[in-house]
Amino acid sequence: MTISRRTFLQGSLVAASTAGTVGATPALQAQDQPLRAPAGPVAQVVRDEAYWRDIKSHYDVSGDFINLENAYYGIMTRAVSDDFKRHIDRLNRDNSYFLRREFDRQGIEAIRATLAQNLGVPTDEVALTRGATESLQNLISNYQLLKSGDTIMYGNLDYDSMQYAMQDLAARRGATVAVVTTPEPATRQGVLDVYEQALKAHPRTRLLLLTHISHRTGLVYPIAELVKMAKARGVDVIVDVAQSWGQLDYQLPDLQADFVGGNLHKWIGAPLGLGFIHIRKERLSAIGIHLGNADHPATDIRARVLAGTVNVAALMTIPAALRQHDAMGTRNKGARLLHLRNHWVAQLRGSSKVQILAPDDMSGAVTSLRLAGKTSFDDNVALQKTLIDQYGIFTVPRKGAAGGACLRVTPALFTTTAELDKFTAAIRQITT
């Protein structure tokens, strides 16, 4: 029998609540305000402003500033936030009686199964973590197949903590480090070419780190093609999907990667401090046990993550966040976010005073800009300060791109085109 993802998410929660594992009794579940599902084809949905106004009404958004820095983490809908608070209250009330008798047994496994279904992989290929950073650090630091004299490779746009972990791994194993610089302006073929050249230049490369969406510029990398390229040369690949999971329409097998780390507190909208690690079953032995974790056997992916007390209330909220996400649909969410991104980019792209760092065909919600001649990090900190102090618009500066520092701009589902128009008007005024 084929079960739809929505049916699975609803059913798994009901089953868990029946056992008392997720803390969602029928009374609590009734308060889980369902989002209205969009109607019509995606091209129509993205421009249905009435629908997106309704979606915005499910978020408690500050009116004190315009938030265009939503890539840090995604705020919860009111229903998810309420679910989180109920779980905090239950844990505070029932304490270890609930944890030891219910959550630590069926509860967490029901949630892991729900997440795995959403990711499109078997449950035994997924473990819960405290975020993408922990997931990826564990994959990198515990990678077993690197030998002295081998090379590990990462890109200049990869996340800082992941670069540090790769450098640390190389130092501990006597390996060398190769860094791939993504050219500006970026193109799909240009990205493929620069990685192919790097792999040819470093034939002893054993491990490659790739990031699906760069947190620095918003560039969306052609991951499946890059993974295929690397595997053809015998190179293992670890993929960072922190910014893409819940925003781009894919499931993990589409990436062709054996090792993936991501989180649930960005585009899924779950509480802060939640992530996942995915290791394809046939490759589990390539990642060592984390810090001697003996709570699970070596054949269990859960031996590759932290053994200790976690934020149980946040974990218990994952099903609610996935239900809200599933109601809108990844395809509709991603298309709407891209529509908002294109709305502001189209107004500035033709300016000789503004450089847009991600091309339209390699973008999602996140895109950075750079003002002409303003390439230092201090320049972009100053731009950030001007935008918030004079215009009430919040953004964040980033560094590490080939052409210098930049300013990251990220709308969310509750962002309006009018707010984006205020942002582009501010940039035009600043550059006049």
PDB file of all heavy atoms in Angstrom, residues 4-39:
ATOM      1  N   SER A   4       0.773   8.471   1.286  1.00  0.00           N
ATOM      2  CA  SER A   4       1.268   9.801   0.968  1.00  0.00           C
ATOM      3  C   SER A   4       2.037  10.355   2.148  1.00  0.00           C
ATOM      4  O   SER A   4       1.841   9.940   3.298  1.00  0.00           O
ATOM      5  CB  SER A   4       0.099  10.741   0.640  1.00  0.00           C
ATOM      6  OG  SER A   4      -0.628  11.033   1.813  1.00  0.00           O
ATOM      7  N   ARG A   5       2.919  11.310   1.873  1.00  0.00           N
ATOM      8  CA  ARG A   5       3.719  11.888   2.953  1.00  0.00           C
ATOM      9  C   ARG A   5       2.825  12.567   3.985  1.00  0.00           C
ATOM     10  O   ARG A   5       3.053  12.464   5.178  1.00  0.00           O
ATOM     11  CB  ARG A   5       4.721  12.887   2.374  1.00  0.00           C
ATOM     12  CG  ARG A   5       5.603  13.523   3.439  1.00  0.00           C
ATOM     13  CD  ARG A   5       6.784  14.227   2.856  1.00  0.00           C
ATOM     14  NE  ARG A   5       6.384  15.308   1.970  1.00  0.00           N
ATOM     15  CZ  ARG A   5       7.250  16.079   1.316  1.00  0.00           C
ATOM     16  NH1 ARG A   5       8.534  15.851   1.426  1.00  0.00           N
ATOM     17  NH2 ARG A   5       6.831  17.049   0.542  1.00  0.00           N
ATOM     18  N   ARG A   6       1.783  13.270   3.515  1.00  0.00           N
ATOM     19  CA  ARG A   6       0.905  13.962   4.461  1.00  0.00           C
ATOM     20  C   ARG A   6       0.197  12.968   5.361  1.00  0.00           C
ATOM     21  O   ARG A   6       0.090  13.145   6.573  1.00  0.00           O
ATOM     22  CB  ARG A   6      -0.111  14.820   3.710  1.00  0.00           C
ATOM     23  CG  ARG A   6      -1.006  15.638   4.639  1.00  0.00           C
ATOM     24  CD  ARG A   6      -1.862  16.596   3.866  1.00  0.00           C
ATOM     25  NE  ARG A   6      -1.024  17.529   3.137  1.00  0.00           N
ATOM     26  CZ  ARG A   6      -1.481  18.336   2.184  1.00  0.00           C
ATOM     27  NH1 ARG A   6      -2.741  18.315   1.851  1.00  0.00           N
ATOM     28  NH2 ARG A   6      -0.660  19.173   1.567  1.00  0.00           N
ATOM     29  N   THR A   7      -0.312  11.869   4.746  1.00  0.00           N
ATOM     30  CA  THR A   7      -0.979  10.845   5.545  1.00  0.00           C
ATOM     31  C   THR A   7      -0.020  10.246   6.554  1.00  0.00           C
ATOM     32  O   THR A   7      -0.364  10.005   7.714  1.00  0.00           O
ATOM     33  CB  THR A   7      -1.537   9.736   4.628  1.00  0.00           C
ATOM     34  OG1 THR A   7      -2.456  10.331   3.726  1.00  0.00           O
ATOM     35  CG2 THR A   7      -2.232   8.663   5.442  1.00  0.00           C
ATOM     36  N   PHE A   8       1.229  10.028   6.135  1.00  0.00           N
ATOM     37  CA  PHE A   8       2.225   9.443   7.034  1.00  0.00           C
ATOM     38  C   PHE A   8       2.497  10.362   8.211  1.00  0.00           C
ATOM     39  O   PHE A   8       2.545   9.922   9.368  1.00  0.00           O
ATOM     40  CB  PHE A   8       3.515   9.171   6.268  1.00  0.00           C
ATOM     41  CG  PHE A   8       4.586   8.546   7.127  1.00  0.00           C
ATOM     42  CD1 PHE A   8       4.680   7.169   7.233  1.00  0.00           C
ATOM     43  CD2 PHE A   8       5.482   9.320   7.838  1.00  0.00           C
ATOM     44  CE1 PHE A   8       5.648   6.594   8.024  1.00  0.00           C
ATOM     45  CE2 PHE A   8       6.451   8.753   8.640  1.00  0.00           C
ATOM     46  CZ  PHE A   8       6.534   7.399   8.722  1.00  0.00           C
ATOM     47  N   LEU A   9       2.672  11.656   7.929  1.00  0.00           N
ATOM     48  CA  LEU A   9       2.967  12.599   8.999  1.00  0.00           C
ATOM     49  C   LEU A   9       1.829  12.666  10.004  1.00  0.00           C
ATOM     50  O   LEU A   9       2.051  12.687  11.214  1.00  0.00           O
ATOM     51  CB  LEU A   9       3.227  13.990   8.412  1.00  0.00           C
ATOM     52  CG  LEU A   9       4.495  14.150   7.577  1.00  0.00           C
ATOM     53  CD1 LEU A   9       4.545  15.540   6.983  1.00  0.00           C
ATOM     54  CD2 LEU A   9       5.724  13.869   8.401  1.00  0.00           C
ATOM     55  N   GLN A  10       0.596  12.691   9.495  1.00  0.00           N
ATOM     56  CA  GLN A  10      -0.538  12.738  10.399  1.00  0.00           C
ATOM     57  C   GLN A  10      -0.665  11.438  11.190  1.00  0.00           C
ATOM     58  O   GLN A  10      -0.877  11.439  12.391  1.00  0.00           O
ATOM     59  CB  GLN A  10      -1.815  12.998   9.590  1.00  0.00           C
ATOM     60  CG  GLN A  10      -1.851  14.393   8.963  1.00  0.00           C
ATOM     61  CD  GLN A  10      -2.998  14.557   7.997  1.00  0.00           C
ATOM     62  OE1 GLN A  10      -3.563  13.570   7.513  1.00  0.00           O
ATOM     63  NE2 GLN A  10      -3.342  15.790   7.696  1.00  0.00           N
ATOM     64  N   GLY A  11      -0.505  10.325  10.484  1.00  0.00           N
ATOM     65  CA  GLY A  11      -0.648   9.033  11.132  1.00  0.00           C
ATOM     66  C   GLY A  11       0.414   8.773  12.171  1.00  0.00           C
ATOM     67  O   GLY A  11       0.138   8.226  13.243  1.00  0.00           O
ATOM     68  N   SER A  12       1.652   9.173  11.866  1.00  0.00           N
ATOM     69  CA  SER A  12       2.727   8.921  12.824  1.00  0.00           C
ATOM     70  C   SER A  12       2.516   9.702  14.106  1.00  0.00           C
ATOM     71  O   SER A  12       2.811   9.231  15.196  1.00  0.00           O
ATOM     72  CB  SER A  12       4.087   9.282  12.200  1.00  0.00           C
ATOM     73  OG  SER A  12       4.137  10.658  11.916  1.00  0.00           O
ATOM     74  N   LEU A  13       1.978  10.905  13.977  1.00  0.00           N
ATOM     75  CA  LEU A  13       1.734  11.693  15.187  1.00  0.00           C
ATOM     76  C   LEU A  13       0.607  11.095  16.009  1.00  0.00           C
ATOM     77  O   LEU A  13       0.672  11.016  17.228  1.00  0.00           O
ATOM     78  CB  LEU A  13       1.398  13.138  14.826  1.00  0.00           C
ATOM     79  CG  LEU A  13       1.234  14.026  16.067  1.00  0.00           C
ATOM     80  CD1 LEU A  13       2.585  14.282  16.702  1.00  0.00           C
ATOM     81  CD2 LEU A  13       0.555  15.314  15.720  1.00  0.00           C
ATOM     82  N   VAL A  14      -0.466  10.652  15.314  1.00  0.00           N
ATOM     83  CA  VAL A  14      -1.582  10.056  16.036  1.00  0.00           C
ATOM     84  C   VAL A  14      -1.127   8.813  16.784  1.00  0.00           C
ATOM     85  O   VAL A  14      -1.453   8.599  17.949  1.00  0.00           O
ATOM     86  CB  VAL A  14      -2.740   9.715  15.063  1.00  0.00           C
ATOM     87  CG1 VAL A  14      -3.797   8.887  15.787  1.00  0.00           C
ATOM     88  CG2 VAL A  14      -3.348  10.991  14.512  1.00  0.00           C
ATOM     89  N   ALA A  15      -0.329   7.975  16.088  1.00  0.00           N
ATOM     90  CA  ALA A  15       0.174   6.761  16.732  1.00  0.00           C
ATOM     91  C   ALA A  15       1.023   7.099  17.936  1.00  0.00           C
ATOM     92  O   ALA A  15       0.926   6.474  18.999  1.00  0.00           O
ATOM     93  CB  ALA A  15       0.981   5.933  15.730  1.00  0.00           C
ATOM     94  N   ALA A  16       1.875   8.132  17.772  1.00  0.00           N
ATOM     95  CA  ALA A  16       2.752   8.513  18.877  1.00  0.00           C
ATOM     96  C   ALA A  16       1.954   9.065  20.048  1.00  0.00           C
ATOM     97  O   ALA A  16       2.238   8.788  21.209  1.00  0.00           O
ATOM     98  CB  ALA A  16       3.770   9.535  18.394  1.00  0.00           C
ATOM     99  N   SER A  17       0.924   9.863  19.736  1.00  0.00           N
ATOM    100  CA  SER A  17       0.157  10.452  20.826  1.00  0.00           C
ATOM    101  C   SER A  17      -0.665   9.397  21.552  1.00  0.00           C
ATOM    102  O   SER A  17      -0.897   9.503  22.752  1.00  0.00           O
ATOM    103  CB  SER A  17      -0.759  11.559  20.292  1.00  0.00           C
ATOM    104  OG  SER A  17      -1.702  11.036  19.384  1.00  0.00           O
ATOM    105  N   THR A  18      -1.102   8.378  20.812  1.00  0.00           N
ATOM    106  CA  THR A  18      -1.838   7.298  21.454  1.00  0.00           C
ATOM    107  C   THR A  18      -0.984   6.616  22.498  1.00  0.00           C
ATOM    108  O   THR A  18      -1.447   6.217  23.563  1.00  0.00           O
ATOM    109  CB  THR A  18      -2.303   6.272  20.402  1.00  0.00           C
ATOM    110  OG1 THR A  18      -3.132   6.941  19.461  1.00  0.00           O
ATOM    111  CG2 THR A  18      -3.071   5.140  21.040  1.00  0.00           C
ATOM    112  N   ALA A  19       0.324   6.482  22.171  1.00  0.00           N
ATOM    113  CA  ALA A  19       1.247   5.856  23.119  1.00  0.00           C
ATOM    114  C   ALA A  19       1.727   6.845  24.171  1.00  0.00           C
ATOM    115  O   ALA A  19       2.461   6.485  25.072  1.00  0.00           O
ATOM    116  CB  ALA A  19       2.443   5.276  22.372  1.00  0.00           C
ATOM    117  N   GLY A  20       1.364   8.120  24.008  1.00  0.00           N
ATOM    118  CA  GLY A  20       1.817   9.141  24.946  1.00  0.00           C
ATOM    119  C   GLY A  20       3.234   9.558  24.694  1.00  0.00           C
ATOM    120  O   GLY A  20       3.870  10.163  25.538  1.00  0.00           O
ATOM    121  N   THR A  21       3.776   9.289  23.483  1.00  0.00           N
ATOM    122  CA  THR A  21       5.193   9.493  23.257  1.00  0.00           C
ATOM    123  C   THR A  21       5.532  10.889  22.821  1.00  0.00           C
ATOM    124  O   THR A  21       6.571  11.420  23.164  1.00  0.00           O
ATOM    125  CB  THR A  21       5.692   8.511  22.187  1.00  0.00           C
ATOM    126  OG1 THR A  21       4.901   8.668  21.023  1.00  0.00           O
ATOM    127  CG2 THR A  21       5.592   7.089  22.678  1.00  0.00           C
ATOM    128  N   VAL A  22       4.694  11.514  22.032  1.00  0.00           N
ATOM    129  CA  VAL A  22       5.020  12.832  21.527  1.00  0.00           C
ATOM    130  C   VAL A  22       4.301  13.913  22.315  1.00  0.00           C
ATOM    131  O   VAL A  22       4.509  15.092  22.128  1.00  0.00           O
ATOM    132  CB  VAL A  22       4.690  12.912  20.015  1.00  0.00           C
ATOM    133  CG1 VAL A  22       5.100  14.239  19.430  1.00  0.00           C
ATOM    134  CG2 VAL A  22       5.403  11.793  19.270  1.00  0.00           C
ATOM    135  N   GLY A  23       3.443  13.519  23.203  1.00  0.00           N
ATOM    136  CA  GLY A  23       2.772  14.501  24.040  1.00  0.00           C
ATOM    137  C   GLY A  23       1.695  15.258  23.321  1.00  0.00           C
ATOM    138  O   GLY A  23       1.366  16.374  23.680  1.00  0.00           O
ATOM    139  N   ALA A  24       1.110  14.679  22.249  1.00  0.00           N
ATOM    140  CA  ALA A  24       0.071  15.364  21.499  1.00  0.00           C
ATOM    141  C   ALA A  24      -1.231  14.604  21.654  1.00  0.00           C
ATOM    142  O   ALA A  24      -1.576  13.753  20.858  1.00  0.00           O
ATOM    143  CB  ALA A  24       0.460  15.460  20.040  1.00  0.00           C
ATOM    144  N   THR A  25      -1.950  14.864  22.740  1.00  0.00           N
ATOM    145  CA  THR A  25      -3.253  14.248  22.936  1.00  0.00           C
ATOM    146  C   THR A  25      -4.214  14.854  21.938  1.00  0.00           C
ATOM    147  O   THR A  25      -3.939  15.908  21.359  1.00  0.00           O
ATOM    148  CB  THR A  25      -3.751  14.522  24.361  1.00  0.00           C
ATOM    149  OG1 THR A  25      -3.957  15.934  24.487  1.00  0.00           O
ATOM    150  CG2 THR A  25      -2.773  14.042  25.402  1.00  0.00           C
ATOM    151  N   PRO A  26      -5.394  14.227  21.692  1.00  0.00           N
ATOM    152  CA  PRO A  26      -6.349  14.824  20.761  1.00  0.00           C
ATOM    153  C   PRO A  26      -6.676  16.271  21.095  1.00  0.00           C
ATOM    154  O   PRO A  26      -6.827  17.091  20.205  1.00  0.00           O
ATOM    155  CB  PRO A  26      -7.567  13.905  20.906  1.00  0.00           C
ATOM    156  CG  PRO A  26      -6.989  12.566  21.270  1.00  0.00           C
ATOM    157  CD  PRO A  26      -5.813  12.896  22.147  1.00  0.00           C
ATOM    158  N   ALA A  27      -6.736  16.603  22.375  1.00  0.00           N
ATOM    159  CA  ALA A  27      -7.037  17.992  22.749  1.00  0.00           C
ATOM    160  C   ALA A  27      -5.938  18.927  22.302  1.00  0.00           C
ATOM    161  O   ALA A  27      -6.187  20.018  21.803  1.00  0.00           O
ATOM    162  CB  ALA A  27      -7.236  18.094  24.259  1.00  0.00           C
ATOM    163  N   LEU A  28      -4.690  18.484  22.470  1.00  0.00           N
ATOM    164  CA  LEU A  28      -3.576  19.318  22.040  1.00  0.00           C
ATOM    165  C   LEU A  28      -3.525  19.407  20.527  1.00  0.00           C
ATOM    166  O   LEU A  28      -3.270  20.459  19.953  1.00  0.00           O
ATOM    167  CB  LEU A  28      -2.262  18.755  22.583  1.00  0.00           C
ATOM    168  CG  LEU A  28      -2.064  18.810  24.093  1.00  0.00           C
ATOM    169  CD1 LEU A  28      -0.718  18.203  24.460  1.00  0.00           C
ATOM    170  CD2 LEU A  28      -2.151  20.231  24.601  1.00  0.00           C
ATOM    171  N   GLN A  29      -3.767  18.304  19.869  1.00  0.00           N
ATOM    172  CA  GLN A  29      -3.679  18.283  18.418  1.00  0.00           C
ATOM    173  C   GLN A  29      -4.733  19.195  17.806  1.00  0.00           C
ATOM    174  O   GLN A  29      -4.533  19.778  16.753  1.00  0.00           O
ATOM    175  CB  GLN A  29      -3.855  16.849  17.907  1.00  0.00           C
ATOM    176  CG  GLN A  29      -3.196  16.626  16.565  1.00  0.00           C
ATOM    177  CD  GLN A  29      -3.155  15.156  16.209  1.00  0.00           C
ATOM    178  OE1 GLN A  29      -3.086  14.307  17.099  1.00  0.00           O
ATOM    179  NE2 GLN A  29      -3.194  14.866  14.948  1.00  0.00           N
ATOM    180  N   ALA A  30      -5.873  19.328  18.464  1.00  0.00           N
ATOM    181  CA  ALA A  30      -6.927  20.186  17.936  1.00  0.00           C
ATOM    182  C   ALA A  30      -6.479  21.638  17.871  1.00  0.00           C
ATOM    183  O   ALA A  30      -6.988  22.419  17.083  1.00  0.00           O
ATOM    184  CB  ALA A  30      -8.172  20.066  18.809  1.00  0.00           C
ATOM    185  N   GLN A  31      -5.519  22.014  18.701  1.00  0.00           N
ATOM    186  CA  GLN A  31      -5.025  23.387  18.696  1.00  0.00           C
ATOM    187  C   GLN A  31      -3.984  23.626  17.612  1.00  0.00           C
ATOM    188  O   GLN A  31      -3.551  24.749  17.401  1.00  0.00           O
ATOM    189  CB  GLN A  31      -4.401  23.712  20.057  1.00  0.00           C
ATOM    190  CG  GLN A  31      -5.376  23.587  21.217  1.00  0.00           C
ATOM    191  CD  GLN A  31      -4.675  23.815  22.540  1.00  0.00           C
ATOM    192  OE1 GLN A  31      -3.902  24.757  22.689  1.00  0.00           O
ATOM    193  NE2 GLN A  31      -4.930  22.955  23.509  1.00  0.00           N
ATOM    194  N   ASP A  32      -3.564  22.571  16.932  1.00  0.00           N
ATOM    195  CA  ASP A  32      -2.528  22.670  15.914  1.00  0.00           C
ATOM    196  C   ASP A  32      -3.141  23.254  14.646  1.00  0.00           C
ATOM    197  O   ASP A  32      -3.568  22.532  13.754  1.00  0.00           O
ATOM    198  CB  ASP A  32      -1.947  21.271  15.657  1.00  0.00           C
ATOM    199  CG  ASP A  32      -0.762  21.316  14.703  1.00  0.00           C
ATOM    200  OD1 ASP A  32      -0.290  22.415  14.404  1.00  0.00           O
ATOM    201  OD2 ASP A  32      -0.339  20.238  14.259  1.00  0.00           O
ATOM    202  N   GLN A  33      -3.236  24.569  14.589  1.00  0.00           N
ATOM    203  CA  GLN A  33      -3.948  25.265  13.530  1.00  0.00           C
ATOM    204  C   GLN A  33      -3.388  24.878  12.157  1.00  0.00           C
ATOM    205  O   GLN A  33      -2.241  25.189  11.834  1.00  0.00           O
ATOM    206  CB  GLN A  33      -3.796  26.776  13.720  1.00  0.00           C
ATOM    207  CG  GLN A  33      -4.119  27.244  15.130  1.00  0.00           C
ATOM    208  CD  GLN A  33      -3.409  28.540  15.459  1.00  0.00           C
ATOM    209  OE1 GLN A  33      -3.058  29.319  14.575  1.00  0.00           O
ATOM    210  NE2 GLN A  33      -3.190  28.795  16.741  1.00  0.00           N
ATOM    211  N   PRO A  34      -4.188  24.222  11.329  1.00  0.00           N
ATOM    212  CA  PRO A  34      -3.676  23.804  10.024  1.00  0.00           C
ATOM    213  C   PRO A  34      -3.535  24.993   9.079  1.00  0.00           C
ATOM    214  O   PRO A  34      -4.358  25.914   9.083  1.00  0.00           O
ATOM    215  CB  PRO A  34      -4.743  22.820   9.533  1.00  0.00           C
ATOM    216  CG  PRO A  34      -6.006  23.276  10.208  1.00  0.00           C
ATOM    217  CD  PRO A  34      -5.576  23.788  11.548  1.00  0.00           C
ATOM    218  N   LEU A  35      -2.475  24.988   8.294  1.00  0.00           N
ATOM    219  CA  LEU A  35      -2.327  25.992   7.260  1.00  0.00           C
ATOM    220  C   LEU A  35      -3.218  25.620   6.086  1.00  0.00           C
ATOM    221  O   LEU A  35      -3.387  24.442   5.762  1.00  0.00           O
ATOM    222  CB  LEU A  35      -0.871  26.060   6.795  1.00  0.00           C
ATOM    223  CG  LEU A  35       0.155  26.509   7.826  1.00  0.00           C
ATOM    224  CD1 LEU A  35       1.553  26.454   7.230  1.00  0.00           C
ATOM    225  CD2 LEU A  35      -0.138  27.909   8.308  1.00  0.00           C
ATOM    226  N   ARG A  36      -3.763  26.611   5.440  1.00  0.00           N
ATOM    227  CA  ARG A  36      -4.583  26.356   4.263  1.00  0.00           C
ATOM    228  C   ARG A  36      -3.688  25.929   3.111  1.00  0.00           C
ATOM    229  O   ARG A  36      -2.721  26.614   2.775  1.00  0.00           O
ATOM    230  CB  ARG A  36      -5.359  27.626   3.896  1.00  0.00           C
ATOM    231  CG  ARG A  36      -6.250  27.495   2.674  1.00  0.00           C
ATOM    232  CD  ARG A  36      -7.230  28.649   2.601  1.00  0.00           C
ATOM    233  NE  ARG A  36      -6.580  29.939   2.488  1.00  0.00           N
ATOM    234  CZ  ARG A  36      -6.253  30.510   1.307  1.00  0.00           C
ATOM    235  NH1 ARG A  36      -6.486  29.867   0.180  1.00  0.00           N
ATOM    236  NH2 ARG A  36      -5.690  31.703   1.287  1.00  0.00           N
ATOM    237  N   ALA A  37      -4.001  24.799   2.506  1.00  0.00           N
ATOM    238  CA  ALA A  37      -3.206  24.303   1.385  1.00  0.00           C
ATOM    239  C   ALA A  37      -3.436  25.184   0.164  1.00  0.00           C
ATOM    240  O   ALA A  37      -4.560  25.637  -0.080  1.00  0.00           O
ATOM    241  CB  ALA A  37      -3.579  22.861   1.075  1.00  0.00           C
ATOM    242  N   PRO A  38      -2.391  25.467  -0.607  1.00  0.00           N
ATOM    243  CA  PRO A  38      -2.560  26.287  -1.805  1.00  0.00           C
ATOM    244  C   PRO A  38      -3.328  25.539  -2.880  1.00  0.00           C
ATOM    245  O   PRO A  38      -3.311  24.310  -2.931  1.00  0.00           O
ATOM    246  CB  PRO A  38      -1.119  26.566  -2.245  1.00  0.00           C
ATOM    247  CG  PRO A  38      -0.337  25.408  -1.713  1.00  0.00           C
ATOM    248  CD  PRO A  38      -1.004  25.018  -0.424  1.00  0.00           C
ATOM    249  N   ALA A  39      -3.993  26.285  -3.741  1.00  0.00           N
ATOM    250  CA  ALA A  39      -4.756  25.688  -4.836  1.00  0.00           C
ATOM    251  C   ALA A  39      -4.201  26.158  -6.167  1.00  0.00           C
ATOM    252  O   ALA A  39      -3.815  27.318  -6.319  1.00  0.00           O
ATOM    253  CB  ALA A  39      -6.229  26.074  -4.711  1.00  0.00           C
TER     254      ALA A  39
END
